[in-house]
Each structure stands twice: as C-alpha cells, then as structure tokens.
C-alpha cells in the first residue's frame, strides 16, 4: 500500500513542510552567501585599507655644507650631536618601519654609525632634502609606500607628529604629500627662517612663504589671527617621490626657496595637520643656545 495514500494529510503536510524547509534552506544559503560576500567585501576593503601605503621609512637628510650654518648636523646640543637627537626621536615613532640617515659627508656618516644609525651615502648633487630622500630610497633594498623626510634641525620633534603626518597621508588618497604646522609666535612673524603656511577648509595646503601670510593692510602681525608655522617634517607617496626630481623648478619655488611650492605649483595636493608643538628649529648658531636653555628648563636630557 502506498503510504502516501494512507495519510494524505501527512503527505500534504510533509510536502508542504518539505517545500517550506527547502525554501528556508535555499533562503538561508542565499542569505549566507550574501553575508559571506558582504563580509568578504568588508574584509577585502579592510585589507586594502590596511595595505594602502602601509610600509613607511623615515629618512633624515643631512649635509655638512649648509650656507646658513656650516656643520649644523654635528653641532652638540647638551652633549649629543643634533643629528643623533633627531634620530633618537624618530626611532620612537610607531608608524616607521625603518629609520636611516642620508648624507653626502663621511664625517656625518661616521658620527651616525657610531651611535647606531643606518646610513645611506648620497651624492653632493642633491639640491634639497627631497632629492636626497629620493636617492636614498633607490638604494634601500626594501620597497616602501611612504617616505618621511625628517629634518635634522628639529632635534625635539615629537614622535607623535611623525605618526600624524604618516596617518594623514594614508587617509588622503588624493594627496601625494603631507606635512605639519603649529601656531606661529608673533615675534616670529617676519623671521624668514620661520616658514608660514595657509590651508583651506579641507586641510590642504594653499601656500607657503618666508614672509607673513596672510598679510594685512596694516603691515603688522595681527595678534588675533591664527597664523601657522610650518614644521620641518613632510611625508611623500613614494610613487610621487620618483616623479618629483623630474619636475622643472617653478617660479614661486625659486623666489621663496621653498621646495613645497614646486609640489603645489604643479597641481599636486598636500595634506596638512595642525599640532600643538613648541617648535625649536635650529637655523643659526644662536638657536643652539636657545634650545639648550629650553631643554634645561624642561629637564630634557
């Protein structure tokens, strides 16, 4: 006897239940696939985000023959060469996979090797720190996504600022360059060694100048205006860094003697972060005494 005939209700119920169960399974599979696809897409996106400009090298360009302060990298600051103090600070940055000194001078190289730094020898023909970083990058065996140009004359640069410019460039795919600014002291308004910066509402650089910008009709520093001082640190996408040396010098760059302007004049975007930092750049021999006095006051060894 056909059991399906004996229990038609059960047969119907079973058929209905089977269809329902089958539908549920199919729905579950489709939903599961959708979830898996969504999760996979999210995971892929996260991986892409994680891998985007992930490998970072910090390069400290240093040369002995500075026009304003000969031998500046080796000048002692409370018993340590200035280049060593900069290197020690850079080594504390969490975003840097490696830190090297790039120089064309054997005295600087020997000094750096003595305190444990890796050194890349570069040619004397490099016109600025960016070109020196580019040459050093070519000589490194590992490929990097971001190069951080850490100016050797900022011996008290905060590691958090280095991390900040790296993260800013990682978060701004339309930018090829990032840098940092802080509040400008009124007394430094007309000091040509203190480079000023203006940015737009999205945090991208508009202009850099050795003069006071913006400049008002009175010709004086406005104590109410939040002027910005450019700090000597900048990071580049390595693909852009390969292009940079081939870009011809630009009128504003030559007039102000500021390499950042060549980037802007050629239409590239530069991300700027504002930080709370007591800037202590060393541009002249007199600045050494100032920074040593500050370090004693703050008990910085």
């Amino acid at each position: 006897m056909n059991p399906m005939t004996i229990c038609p209700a059960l047969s119907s119920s079973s058929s209905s239940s089977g269809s329902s169960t089958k539908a549920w399974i199919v729905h579950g599979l489709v939903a599961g696939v959708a979830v898996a696809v969504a999760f996979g897409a999210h995971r892929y996106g996260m991986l892409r985000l994680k891998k985007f400009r992930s490998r970072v090298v910090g390069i400290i360009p240093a040369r002995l023959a500075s026009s304003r302060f000969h031998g500046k990298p080796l000048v002692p600051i409370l018993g340590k060469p200035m280049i060593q103090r900069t290197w020690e600070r850079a080594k504390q940055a969490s975003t840097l996979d490696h830190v090297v000194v790039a120089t064309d001078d054997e005295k600087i190289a020997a000094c750096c090797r003595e305190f444990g730094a890796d050194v890349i020898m570069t040619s004397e023909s490099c016109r600025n720190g960016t070109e020196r970083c580019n040459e050093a990058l070519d000589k490194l065996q590992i490929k990097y996504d971001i190069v951080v140009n850490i100016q050797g004359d900022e011996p008290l640069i905060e590691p958090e600022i280095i991390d900040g410019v790296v993260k800013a460039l990682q978060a701004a795919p339309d930018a090829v360059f990032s840098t940092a600014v802080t509040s400008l002291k009124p007394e430094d308004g007309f000091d040509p060694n203190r480079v000023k910066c203006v940015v737009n509402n999205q945090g991208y650089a508009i202009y850099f100048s050795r003069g006071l910008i913006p400049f008002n009709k009175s010709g004086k520093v406005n104590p109410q205006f939040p002027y910005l001082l450019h700090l000597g640190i900048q990071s580049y996408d390595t693909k852009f860094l390969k292009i940079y040396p081939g870009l011809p010098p630009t009128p504003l760059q030559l007039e102000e003697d500021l390499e950042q302007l060549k980037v802007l004049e050629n239409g590239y975007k530069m991300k700027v972060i504002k930080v709370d930092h007591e800037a202590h750049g060393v541009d002249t021999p007199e600045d050494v005494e100032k920074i040593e006095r500050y370090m004693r006051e703050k008990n910085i060894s």
Side-chain angles (χ1 to χ4, degrees):
M1 185 179 292
N2 191 335
M4 298 297 285
T5 314
I6 297 175
C7 300
L10 180 60
S11 173
S12 174
S13 174
S14 296
S15 176
S16 174
S17 175
S19 298
S20 176
T21 302
K22 184 178 180 181
W24 182 86
I25 292 172
V26 171
H27 175 74
L29 287 171
V30 171
V33 170
V35 169
V37 170
F39 177 77
H42 174 71
R43 185 171 180 271
Y44 177 70
M46 290 302 290
L47 285 172
R48 285 195 67 191
L49 183 63
K50 186 178 179 181
K51 290 180 179 178
F52 184 64
R53 293 173 173 167
S54 61
R55 292 199 59 83
V56 186
V57 61
I59 300 179
I60 307 172
R63 64 191 183 99
L64 205 65
S66 170
S67 58
R68 289 180 292 175
F69 189 172
H70 185 80
K72 183 167 65 170
L74 301 181
V75 65
I77 297 179
L78 292 188
K80 287 184 181 180
M82 183 165 66
I83 189 73
Q84 180 177 354
R85 291 196 174 275
T86 305
W87 178 81
E88 289 174 347
R89 291 273 181 158
K91 291 284 285 183
Q92 297 175 38
S94 63
T95 55
L96 300 184
D97 297 299
H98 190 37
V99 179
V100 300
V101 174
T103 186
D104 59 7
D105 189 90
E106 285 295 342
K107 289 182 181 178
I108 293 176
C111 173
C112 292
R113 293 188 185 108
E114 190 173 330
F115 61 73
D118 288 336
V119 178
I120 299 291
M121 297 304 296
T122 53
S123 65
E124 295 181 4
S125 63
C126 293
R127 293 170 291 183
N128 51 51
T130 304
E131 291 190 7
R132 198 171 300 282
C133 284
N134 184 45
E135 184 180 333
L137 182 68
D138 283 338
K139 295 182 177 181
L140 290 170
Q141 294 181 346
I142 299 175
K143 299 300 180 184
Y144 292 94
D145 306 307
I146 291 177
V147 173
V148 186
N149 180 346
I150 304 166
Q151 298 296 325
D153 56 8
E154 272 277 341
L156 296 184
I157 188 71
E158 297 290 345
E160 292 80 7
I161 295 176
I162 298 174
D163 291 336
V165 297
V166 170
K167 291 174 182 177
L169 191 56
Q170 289 172 331
D174 59 339
V176 297
F177 192 119
S178 67
T179 190
V181 296
T182 193
S183 297
L184 177 72
K185 294 178 181 178
E187 60 267 29
D188 291 334
F190 294 102
D191 184 346
N193 293 319
R194 301 293 188 253
V195 177
K196 295 80 178 175
C197 176
V198 289
V199 301
N200 66 18
N201 291 336
Q202 287 73 47
Y204 292 90
I206 297 174
Y207 193 70
F208 293 84
S209 180
R210 294 186 180 278
L212 183 65
I213 52 173
F215 190 79
N216 61 63
K217 291 180 180 180
S218 73
K220 299 177 182 178
V221 174
N222 177 2
Q224 306 303 319
F225 191 87
Y227 299 102
L228 298 175
L229 170 68
H230 181 226
L231 298 177
I233 180 169
Q234 42 216 24
S235 70
Y236 325 91
D237 182 288
T238 54
K239 294 185 180 69
F240 168 72
L241 193 56
K242 298 297 180 187
I243 297 170
Y244 177 86
L247 296 175
T250 56
L252 295 176
Q253 174 204 2
L254 295 173
E255 185 64 19
E256 294 262 17
D257 190 22
L258 294 173
E259 58 186 285
Q260 299 89 351
L261 293 175
K262 183 164 80 166
V263 179
L264 297 182
E265 281 186 90
N266 278 285
Y268 293 97
K269 283 192 172 184
M270 188 183 304
K271 192 70 174 177
V272 180
I273 62 167
K274 187 175 186 297
V275 298
D276 184 15
H277 178 62
E278 187 75 18
H280 295 284
V282 177
D283 296 299
T284 65
E286 292 73 28
D287 290 331
V288 175
E289 184 180 343
K290 293 177 184 177
I291 198 170
E292 288 186 331
R293 188 186 316 122
Y294 173 83
M295 291 173 68
R296 291 189 186 99
E297 289 172 358
K298 300 296 182 180
N299 199 27
I300 300 173
S301 59

